Structure formats: C-alpha cells, structure tokens
Amino acid sequence: MADKMEKKFHIHVLSNTHWDREWYMSHEKYMARLVELCDRLLDILEKEKDYIFITDGQFSMVDDYLQAKPEKRELVEKFVKEGRLEVGPWFTQPLETLVSGEAMVRNLHYGIEGSEKLGKAMRFSYEVDEFGHASQTPQVLKGFGIDAALAWRGMPVGAKTAFEWVSPDGTSVIMLYTNCGYGEATAMPMNEEDYVEDIDGVKLNRMGLNNRVPYLTKFRDDYSEVNTQMWLNGIDHSFAQPDILQVIDKISEMFPELDVKQTTCEAFFEAMKNAYKEKGIEMAKVEGELMYTAEQLLESTHSCHPRQKLKHYKTERFLERHFEPSLSLSWLAGFDNKDWAQRRAWKYVLENHAHDTLGCTSVNEVYEEAMARYGCSLSLAQQISDQAQRELMSCITDFPSIFVLNTSPFDIKGTKEFTIDVPEGYGTDNFEIIDEEGNKLPFVITEKLPTVDIRFNPRRGHPTWTDAVTIKALVSIPEVKAFGWKKFTFTGKGSAAEETDVANDYITKQYRNRPYYYHSQAINVMENEYLKCTINPNGTVDMLDKTTNKLYPSQFTFEDSGDVFNVYVHIPPYMNKIVYSTGCQSEITKLYDTELGASYEVKLTLRVPEGKGEFDNRSKVYTNIDIKMVLTLLKGERNLRAELTINNTAKEHRLRVLFPTYLADATKSRGGQPYDVVERAIKYEGSYEGLAEQPYATHPMQDICDVSGANAGLTVAAEGIYEYECMDTEEKALALTCLRSINSIDAKFGRAELYDLTEAENLASITYKLALYPHDGDWRKVYKDAIGYLTYPVFALDRMPEVAVMTDYVKPYHTLPTEGGAVALEGENVMMTAIKKAYNSDSLIVRVLSYSDKEETAIVKLTFPGKEIKAAYYCDLDENRVEAIANDGNAFDIKLRKAQIATYEIEMK
C-alpha cells in the first residue's frame, strides 16, 4: 500500500563532494586526500551498481586524480559512460566576477572537452560555493548547451529553490538555489534515534533519522513552491558516503510518504520543471548579476591580495588580447598555430580560476603556487607571441623597420607610448620613423638607456649578446586596423640625437606664487585639445574637460581606513581613523615636455596607523606609505594616464584612490564585468536585519568603472583593480580599492597562527596603470578608447625568426603588404572579443559582443590578404555550427540583440 500512496515529497539525493583544490592547505596536501577519496569512490561504484556521484561540477578534480593514477583511467571512463560518475562542465569552478568573459568560455570549453574524452560531460552548472554570479553567465551557459545551474551565494532575499535567471540579452537558465548553504544531507546515519559520535574523546551529538529527515524536509519545503526537493549529500572535502543507498532504503521504510532516491543534477532539474508544470505555476524571474547579501556573499574577496589579482588580470588579458591574436595572424600567414602552447598557457590560468585560489583567501603556499602558475603561463605566452610576431614580420619586410601590431578590437591612431631595445646594428642615435610615402612621423625619445640585446642562436646553441640601447618614446601613428599591422621604416643615422628639452612649454605651463597655494610652490598644468590638468601641491589633480567645460577636482585623492576582519569580508573598526592625502605636501618633478605629450612624477607620503591597536581599533603608532604617480597627457588623447606605485608598510587597513565627480544628478554607477558593463544604484541600500551580511557599498569591476549624469560623466580604466564604489556623498567620487591588508582566514578556523596568510598583508610595492576619461554622459563613447588603452599596441623591430640561422631554413614563400588586418567589424557599440583558429578545423573564429542597450546591426569582413570567405556560420560558444550565414564576397551582415555574445566561424579559401 505504501508504494501506491501519494508521496508528500519527491526527494533527489545528490551525492557529491565540494572539492577545493587548495585553500587552507596547499594543492599537493589536498592531493593526498583527493587520491584516497577517489580510490574509495571507485571501490564504492564497483560494489554498488546503482551508485551515482557528482565530482563538484569541475573536470579538474578527476583530471588531478588521473595525473596521480593514470592506471585508473579505464575504470573512470566506464563509470562516466554509465552516467554514474558526473564530470564537468567547468574545468575549475571559477569566480565569475573575477574572470573575463573569454576566460569563462575557455574554462567551460576545456572542462567539457576533458570530460567528453572520459565519456560524457555533465551539461549542468554545479557551483555551490561561488562568491556571487555575473550577469552574463546564463548566456554563456546557454552557449554551451547548459540550461540550469545550482548555487548558493548571491541569491535575492526571499528567493525560492527554483527561479529563472536572465542575462541582459534575454537568455535565461533555471537557477536551483540550495538555500542556507549546502551539504545539509552529509553523513546521513543508519541510526533511527539521536546518538553520540566520539572523535578523539570529544563527544558530538548527532541527529538520528527520526529527527533529521523531518528537519530536512521542512528545511527545503520552507523555500519551495513544489513538492520536489534536493538533499546535498556531501560538503567541503567530504568522502563519498558508502552506505547512502542503504540509508535511503531505510528512510523509505521509516517514511513511506517520501519518495527518496539518489540521482543526478540533470534528473533533479527535469523533475523540478515537471513539478512546476504540473502545478501550473511559473518560476519567478531574476535579471542580471546575483550579488545579493541575503546569505554570505563574501564580496570583499574582490580586493584582497592585490598582487595576485593584478597578476591574474595581466596574464588573462595577455592571453586573450595579445597571445591569441598574434598566433591567429601568424597562422593566417601560413605558420603553425601552436595549439599545444595555447592549451598549456590557458590551463595554468584555469587552475587558478578555482574560487579559493582566485578569491585569494588561502594560505601563503597557495598564493605562491598561484603566482608560479601565472608566471608559467605568461612566460610561455610571451615567448610564443614574440615568435609569432617574428613569423608575421618575416613575410613583410627585409630592411630596418618598425612594426606596429594592434591586437585590440578597435582601430587605433594618434600618439602612442612605446619602449623598444635597438641593437647597435640599427644605429644608436638620431632615430627616425618614416611611412611608406617617405614622410617622417612625429617622434620624440623621452628616455634612452644602454642595454644588451640577447638573441638565441639555435644553430650554435648559445645566445648572442650585442650592445643595444633601450628607447622610451612617443610617436604619432596613422591608423592601424583592429587585429592588424602597419610597417614603417626605422633608421638611426649615427649622429647625435637631439635631447628632449624638459623646459619647453609644449603641453605644460607653470604658475608661481598663486595666493591660494603654498608660498613659492610651482603649480603645474598639462593641457591638450581635450583636457586641462592642474597638479596641485598635495598631489591631487584638477581635471577640466574642455569639451563639456566640466571640472573634476582633486582627482587621485588617497583614502586610508582600518580593516579588522578577514580576507573574505571588509569590516572597519568601530573607532575608525580615516586618513586622506589632501593634507599631504607632494614632490612634483617634470619628466618630459614635448610636442607629443608631457609627463610628471608626483611623490607623496601618507602617514597612517601601522596596524591594529587596542580593542581592534587602529593603532596609535604610525607608519609611512610612499606613493608615486607618473601622470601623462598625450597630444590628441582624451585621457589622463597614471602609473601608480604604492609601497605598503601598514597592516589591517584598506587603501583606495578617489576620483570626485560632483555629478549631482548621477543616480547610477557602472562596472565592467564578463561581457557586460553592469549598472548599479549609487544610493546605499542601508543595513537591515535578517541578512548574513549587510549590503555592500562596493561592487565588482573589470577594466572600467563609471559614473554619469545627464550631460557629463567620468570613466576610469584600470589594470587589475576589481573593486570600486561610487560614494553616495556630494562628491559622488569613484573609489577604487588599491589594496586591503589583512591576515586572517576566518574566525571559525581557530588559532590564526596555524594558517599563515602573511602574504595577504601585502607589505610590498604594487604598481597599477589607470586612465581617466571624462565624457558627455554616455560611457559608450569612450569605451573603445578605454579598452584600447588597456590593450597596448606592440612596437617591434623587424627581427627574423630565430630559426632563420639554420641551414635548412626556408624563407616564407608568401609576402604580405606593409599594412593589413585579419578581420574588420563595422557597426556601433559592438566589438570583437576574440579572433582565433577554430579548435577542430582550419577555420577562423570571430566572437562579437554588443555593448549596446538596443538591437544593433553590423558587418563582419575578412580582410587578411589573399584570404576569401568560402562559407560562414553562426556558432554556439563551443564553436559548434548552428546555422549557415549568407556572405557577400568577403563580408556578411549580422544582427545582434542588446548585450548579445555571438560567435562566427569563417571557412576560407
């Protein structure tokens, strides 16, 4: 009779472990546990023919195990193919708001690829412990054929177990919310009654099934709109429960009104959809990023360990904005695409995507391992990029020239900064850069230093060392196409070069003895067509946008405050002492002043409490933080640039740089995110009861943040800064977090000295690059300039490939023109985010993003010399063809929804 009765709840037991690759221990220490976990799991799967296990939604867990025990691969493949061992789809569970959009795509591709090689990838995004979720993740997941996700943190107050999560373009997936954490059904006992567990003499009270089952069903029912539930049988690093199937049988006997079974994520998702359909109700819709603080969000991880965050940014951006485009151009020219190098460089980075690694909430050993991986990735990518660029140059020129490679998605022109090493064979003085028509480009050397050129000789085995000179220079270049190149003749005539006269007043002016400034203090002003920037005695800058006549005073004001909690959460002390740089006296030095640009060095010292004092307040003992800024204004550029170096000597504090705007009518700020620029209310929500954390005034950012009014606005482009706030005060200042210095992992871990996080104190020097873009209130008008600033062009001398010294070297038979490009995109508010060779064919992949708030049309053109479009296809994000696209010659039209990510494959002939 029990089998025929109507079941009160249908319960899907999801047996799993949440596997942090590294966290409060190093990766290798965790490996010792992982191998034992997996060995035991395989034994269980062999004995229990109906047993199902979820490997935490990430391929790396199984990949790590098989690297340790490759002899187990056949057994693993057997269980994956049977559908009893669920692997993937992610390579590692990433922190979505800290990885770039392209990196998120690589994470899923390599995760699914590796899982499919084992038999099958789980097409379900299992991310139980991520610290919030990016706005475009539903669109990314859908692009890989994934319709549902399961997660905990970041969900709105009052969210139910299932809701529809919608990206800005309208794409949606179903989010299955685990409510109040995860692992609630870990270690389910056979005991019916409550019992005591004895561990090393410590007595721990445990619930038996009579109490635990009703507790779990009520716990889930409180959040559910239907009678279908999930129980997560597994938590951080827990081993698979060997007797869970027997426990489930016992629960079924004890509670015949319950339909309980061990199942898969996909089966639970289908059951939830059917339950909503049968009940005739629609799921609620939640749009955009999931960064709510109803439960523990831990958003402050965006600002801890800034040196690792900066290294992450530089490595990830180099791979997608320099490495892949350089290889693509070389491949289009007929050279090998070096797939092995791309795979290897990306996998180092993807290992660092793991949320505790990238969140930088781990012990020193993990920090050191992560930084080493970034170093490996970047070293490989730089070497291969240099090789690919030499290959491309070998098809273009045979005489002294300078080669400009633009790997950004937008055309560039105008004044650019660059640094190159010039071997003595090119001359050492009086350099000139000449275009194809014989015209000299405006060009000035700002610094010149002796150096040594090191060139590896594969024929003789050792490098060749020759004298050289490093020149830092400015040059005004004509247009270079997106993902394109242009060659110029470069000569050194041998006569003495004219020295830059820093006393000239090209870009700067000096005003002395102004009555409202310090006596006899020089006030330095840089001015070009668009901006007038006054460097004040305290080191701040008053920036006038000449286009809108809007003044932005006191830019680069520094704010230092206390931070007394842990790496996850920023909490200021109750008696907080906030220090501002406005009272400092700075040292201002003109570095150069030329017809192409000017640059100043500004040094100041911030006196701050050295750390934590009595009652967790700031110390009464002070220390000095030295700050150096190099401010640069170039001819024809709409931005003020800064290279900002901070030498941190204090602990338990947060240091931010402020950019006041005084935009009284601004109500929204914006921050860059993977494939998006997210809009947020400036007005702070305030604190209220019932939340694990109060709403944050800070927000995630990547590349840019912005605040705009009706007729004016300010965009800040920043390299490697991931947290900002638009302060809800009269100043409406954008506040970018430069560093948090903290040395505590979490109070629940007990004695802090057992977990060494001294590297998180950041008692070191760190350098950021930033640029300020004032505008007329529409950030989109300066967005391409900001991305261009963050994607610096490559200036290189025409160096033959290293293998050109080999006796069997054959010069490339094909010749390229002195300027060209791979592919062009014509349209408003659209950009290419990737060009690359397809994974599985000799086709070109082009990914396009709309950053518009409406539908846009555009034209994609194949422009590489000698290449023609044979066929074009619209693809999903994993490069599977969806439909053919009609092309007209070497171009095809596209139509994009607002915020759409679109991938195209171009077959060539």
Side-chain angles (χ1 to χ4, degrees):
M1 293 295 293
D3 291 339
K4 296 181 180 180
M5 72 164 54
E6 183 177 346
K7 301 295 184 180
K8 183 177 181 181
F9 294 111
H10 299 279
I11 297 167
H12 293 247
V13 177
L14 303 178
S15 293
N16 70 92
T17 186
H18 173 51
W19 193 257
D20 302 301
R21 292 186 83 241
E22 50 200 10
W23 177 22
Y24 60 83
M25 296 193 309
S26 69
H27 172 62
E28 293 305 314
K29 287 180 179 177
Y30 274 123
M31 274 293 291
R33 291 181 180 175
L34 176 66
V35 169
E36 186 174 359
L37 182 158
C38 291
D39 282 344
R40 293 172 63 88
L41 171 62
L42 294 179
D43 288 342
I44 294 169
L45 289 168
E46 283 192 289
K47 295 172 184 174
E48 301 282 355
K49 303 305 179 185
D50 296 321
Y51 199 99
I52 301 167
F53 195 80
I54 301 156
T55 58
D56 201 30
Q58 52 180 327
F59 167 68
S60 63
M61 178 181 164
V62 178
D63 187 45
D64 285 343
Y65 173 67
L66 290 179
Q67 288 182 39
K69 288 201 168 182
E71 68 274 13
K72 297 289 187 178
R73 185 179 184 89
E74 185 177 341
L75 193 57
V76 168
E77 289 178 353
K78 173 180 182 294
F79 296 135
V80 172
K81 290 172 183 175
E82 291 175 356
R84 297 200 291 129
L85 188 61
E86 294 222 295
V87 185
W90 297 97
F91 187 87
T92 48
Q93 283 193 25
L95 282 186
E96 297 168 23
T97 52
L98 280 166
V99 302
S100 71
E102 286 300 316
M104 189 184 294
V105 167
R106 301 304 183 283
N107 192 313
L108 279 168
H109 168 76
Y110 285 117
I112 289 173
E113 178 188 67
S115 301
E116 292 287 354
K117 288 179 180 178
L118 293 175
K120 181 185 177 183
M122 180 173 72
R123 298 284 175 158
F124 182 99
S125 179
Y126 184 91
E127 295 181 86
V128 293
D129 197 27
E130 305 313 297
F131 309 153
H133 304 275
S135 59
Q136 287 279 41
T137 300
Q139 189 179 173
V140 172
L141 292 176
K142 205 81 167 185
F144 283 87
I146 297 169
D147 297 318
L150 182 149
W152 167 36
R153 304 181 196 270
M155 308 306 164
V157 176
K160 299 301 182 182
T161 300
F163 60 85
E164 189 177 350
W165 181 24
V166 188
S167 275
D169 76 313
T171 302
S172 66
V173 296
I174 303 303
M175 173 59 79
L176 302 172
Y177 171 30
T178 67
N179 321 110
C180 300
Y182 54 92
E184 69 285 343
T186 302
M188 294 292 288
M190 289 294 289
N191 305 58
E192 296 183 15
E193 303 301 329
D194 294 351
Y195 62 101
V196 175
E197 186 176 6
D198 188 327
I199 300 178
D200 296 333
V202 177
K203 304 292 192 288
L204 300 170
N205 295 321
R206 306 297 192 191
M207 277 188 187
L209 294 178
N210 275 330
N211 285 323
R212 192 164 181 189
V213 171
Y215 165 79
L216 288 174
T217 54
K218 183 180 185 309
F219 165 75
R220 285 288 180 226
D221 194 39
D222 286 345
Y223 292 92
S224 183
E225 296 177 299
V226 295
N227 67 348
T228 301
Q229 298 184 355
M230 62 175 150
W231 289 359
L232 297 182
N233 174 231
I235 200 166
D236 297 15
H237 316 123
S238 61
F239 285 21
Q241 182 174 342
D243 63 347
I244 187 62
L245 296 182
Q246 290 74 35
V247 172
I248 288 173
D249 289 341
K250 187 158 191 173
I251 292 172
S252 298
E253 293 175 5
M254 294 173 62
F255 302 92
E257 72 277 15
L258 303 182
D259 171 29
V260 188
K261 58 185 174 184
Q262 189 190 56
T263 187
T264 65
C265 293
E266 298 96 326
F268 172 60
F269 168 53
E270 290 299 323
M272 286 295 287
K273 284 197 302 182
N274 292 334
Y276 271 85
K277 184 176 180 180
E278 290 172 5
K279 200 167 181 179
I281 58 175
E282 292 186 2
M283 294 180 187
K285 289 188 178 182
V286 179
E287 298 182 354
E289 63 180 356
L290 299 177
M291 298 296 294
Y292 301 93
T293 57
E295 301 188 67
Q296 292 179 341
L297 179 59
L298 310 179
E299 187 188 290
S300 297
T301 51
H302 289 87
S303 57
C304 70
H305 246 314
R307 285 175 292 161
Q308 184 179 331
K309 295 291 197 305
L310 180 60
K311 191 76 168 181
H312 168 75
Y313 181 95
K314 287 184 174 182
T315 307
E316 213 170 61
R317 294 306 187 278
F318 189 88
L319 294 189
E320 63 194 56
R321 294 182 182 171
H322 289 280
F323 179 49
E324 287 185 341
S326 296
L327 278 170
S328 298
L329 288 166
S330 172
W331 167 70
L332 286 168
F335 296 92
D336 177 50
N337 192 50
K338 303 170 184 64
D339 296 311
W340 69 269
Q342 295 188 64
R343 179 182 302 273
R344 187 176 179 87
W346 270 114
K347 285 190 174 181
Y348 280 123
V349 172
L350 298 183
E351 288 180 346
N352 282 351
H353 276 190
H355 65 284
D356 289 304
T357 309
L358 185 51
C360 306
T361 55
S362 306
V363 295
N364 286 353
E365 285 178 286
V366 176
Y367 165 78
E368 291 160 359
E369 289 172 350
M371 294 295 274
R373 290 186 203 115
Y374 287 129
C376 290
S377 177
L378 198 54
S379 294
L380 174 61
Q382 287 171 336
Q383 181 72 13
I384 296 294
S385 295
D386 180 71
Q387 185 176 336
Q389 290 157 17
R390 290 187 185 190
E391 289 169 345
L392 188 65
M393 283 189 280
S394 71
C395 301
I396 297 171
T397 179
D398 284 321
F399 48 84
S401 64
I402 196 163
F403 175 84
V404 181
L405 179 64
N406 175 22
T407 59
S408 84
F410 301 111
D411 301 344
I412 61 169
K413 65 178 179 179
T415 307
K416 304 299 172 188
E417 300 173 278
F418 70 93
T419 301
I420 56 171
D421 290 341
V422 184
E424 61 181 355
Y426 286 79
T428 57
D429 288 302
N430 203 14
F431 296 110
E432 294 178 340
I433 301 177
I434 303 168
D435 67 16
E436 288 297 290
E437 288 73 42
N439 303 309
K440 294 181 183 179
L441 300 186
F443 167 61
V444 292
I445 296 173
T446 59
E447 189 174 0
K448 189 164 53 175
L449 300 167
T451 189
V452 174
D453 179 66
I454 303 174
R455 184 175 172 86
F456 172 64
N457 187 323
R459 184 180 180 189
R460 300 187 179 276
H462 288 283
T464 299
W465 289 269
T466 59
D467 289 337
V469 61
T470 296
I471 63 169
K472 296 182 180 181
L474 304 176
V475 64
S476 181
I477 59 173
E479 185 175 78
V480 182
K481 295 296 184 182
F483 300 119
W485 69 87
K486 190 183 286 283
K487 188 233 26 164
F488 303 95
T489 301
F490 180 80
T491 62
K493 293 188 174 179
S495 58
E498 294 182 9
E499 295 296 326
T500 301
D501 186 353
V502 298
N504 284 340
D505 285 343
Y506 291 107
I507 304 295
T508 74
K509 306 291 181 187
Q510 288 192 339
Y511 302 91
R512 294 184 180 275
N513 300 328
R514 298 282 281 272
Y516 47 86
Y517 289 113
Y518 292 104
H519 217 37
S520 74
Q521 171 68 48
I523 306 304
N524 302 286
V525 179
M526 297 186 290
E527 186 172 354
N528 69 4
E529 302 93 315
Y530 303 105
L531 303 177
K532 181 178 180 180
C533 302
T534 303
I535 307 173
N536 299 317
N538 61 11
T540 64
V541 180
D542 295 341
M543 180 175 65
L544 175 67
D545 180 1
K546 295 163 70 172
T547 304
T548 62
N549 202 36
K550 163 68 177 171
L551 178 67
Y552 297 87
S554 300
Q555 304 302 289
F556 297 100
T557 297
F558 292 90
E559 173 208 81
D560 191 81
S561 61
D563 192 336
V564 297
F565 207 56
N566 60 38
V567 287
Y568 294 100
V569 180
H570 164 69
I571 294 180
Y574 180 73
M575 298 291 289
N576 198 5
K577 171 70 173 176
I578 302 178
V579 180
Y580 293 96
S581 65
T582 47
C584 292
Q585 177 69 38
S586 68
E587 177 186 333
I588 303 171
T589 305
K590 184 191 291 186
L591 299 179
Y592 61 81
D593 180 12
T594 77
E595 64 269 27
L596 292 181
S599 185
Y600 280 78
E601 181 184 81
V602 179
K603 292 181 178 179
L604 58 95
T605 297
L606 205 60
R607 290 278 293 166
V608 305
E610 68 172 4
K612 198 159 53 175
E614 292 182 336
F615 309 111
D616 276 354
N617 292 316
R618 301 199 77 180
S619 173
K620 295 179 181 179
V621 179
Y622 279 65
T623 185
N624 292 338
I625 294 180
D626 292 327
I627 297 172
K628 182 180 77 173
M629 293 187 293
V630 176
L631 302 171
T632 303
L633 185 65
L634 301 179
K635 180 181 180 181
E637 292 293 302
R638 297 177 181 270
N639 65 67
L640 173 63
R641 304 177 178 206
E643 185 175 272
L644 170 62
T645 300
I646 301 163
N647 184 24
N648 181 47
T649 58
K651 303 177 183 180
E652 288 90 32
H653 73 120
R654 180 180 73 176
L655 180 65
R656 305 198 295 181
V657 58
L658 311 184
F659 303 99
T661 67
Y662 290 92
L663 292 166
D665 61 341
T667 60
K668 303 284 187 181
S669 73
R670 292 155 201 87
Q673 283 293 277
Y675 295 128
D676 199 11
V677 177
V678 177
E679 192 171 81
R680 295 140 177 155
I682 293 174
K683 187 170 181 60
Y684 179 57
E685 296 179 35
S687 60
Y688 51 97
E689 295 181 1
L691 301 183
E693 295 170 12
Q694 296 304 322
Y696 288 87
T698 57
H699 303 289
M701 66 170 281
Q702 291 185 24
D703 294 332
I704 71 161
C705 60
D706 173 86
V707 58
S708 300
N711 301 305
L714 179 66
T715 295
V716 179
E719 182 184 66
I721 294 178
Y722 285 93
E723 179 183 276
Y724 84 100
E725 174 187 355
C726 185
M727 302 174 77
D728 188 17
T729 61
E730 179 187 4
E731 290 83 0
K732 294 285 176 60
L734 290 170
L736 279 66
T737 307
C738 298
L739 64 88
R740 283 201 306 125
S741 175
I742 201 75
N743 183 9
S744 174
I745 191 167
D746 200 328
K748 69 185 179 185
F749 278 73
R751 289 164 48 202
E753 65 269 19
L754 297 178
Y755 304 96
D756 187 2
L757 274 74
T758 51
E759 290 288 355
E761 292 173 336
N762 291 285
L763 301 177
S765 180
I766 187 167
T767 300
Y768 294 109
K769 291 184 178 180
L770 305 94
L772 309 187
Y773 290 85
H775 53 79
D776 65 2
D778 184 357
W779 62 270
R780 291 178 177 86
K781 291 182 180 178
V782 298
Y783 185 61
K784 62 173 63 178
D785 290 335
I787 297 300
Y789 164 75
L790 294 168
T791 312
Y792 48 89
V794 175
F795 284 76
L797 294 177
D798 61 327
R799 310 296 298 273
M800 291 298 291
E802 290 174 340
V803 296
V805 299
M806 300 298 292
T807 56
D808 60 348
Y809 174 74
V810 178
K811 189 179 184 332
Y813 66 88
H814 39 282
T815 302
L816 294 174
T818 56
E819 64 178 296
V823 62
L825 178 66
E826 297 178 2
E828 292 296 319
N829 299 322
V830 294
M831 65 182 288
M832 292 178 282
T833 63
I835 66 163
K836 58 185 289 294
K837 178 185 174 295
Y839 290 118
N840 299 314
S841 68
D842 285 331
S843 299
L844 180 68
I845 294 294
V846 179
R847 188 140 38 246
V848 179
L849 169 69
S850 167
Y851 56 93
S852 177
D853 60 356
K854 64 182 189 303
E855 185 179 272
E856 298 283 0
T857 58
I859 300 173
V860 177
K861 292 183 177 180
L862 180 65
T863 58
F864 197 85
K867 298 289 185 181
E868 297 179 21
I869 294 180
K870 178 181 178 182
Y873 304 89
Y874 173 70
C875 300
D876 66 17
L877 283 176
D878 208 20
E879 304 178 10
N880 300 300
R881 294 174 182 175
V882 176
E883 62 180 1
I885 301 174
N887 63 289
D888 181 10
N890 257 17
F892 55 88
D893 298 329
I894 62 174
K895 183 181 291 186
L896 300 171
R897 303 183 302 273
K898 71 169 186 177
Q900 184 180 354
I901 311 159
T903 304
Y904 303 96
E905 178 190 350
I906 301 174
E907 273 192 312
M908 295 169 292
K909 57 183 179 180

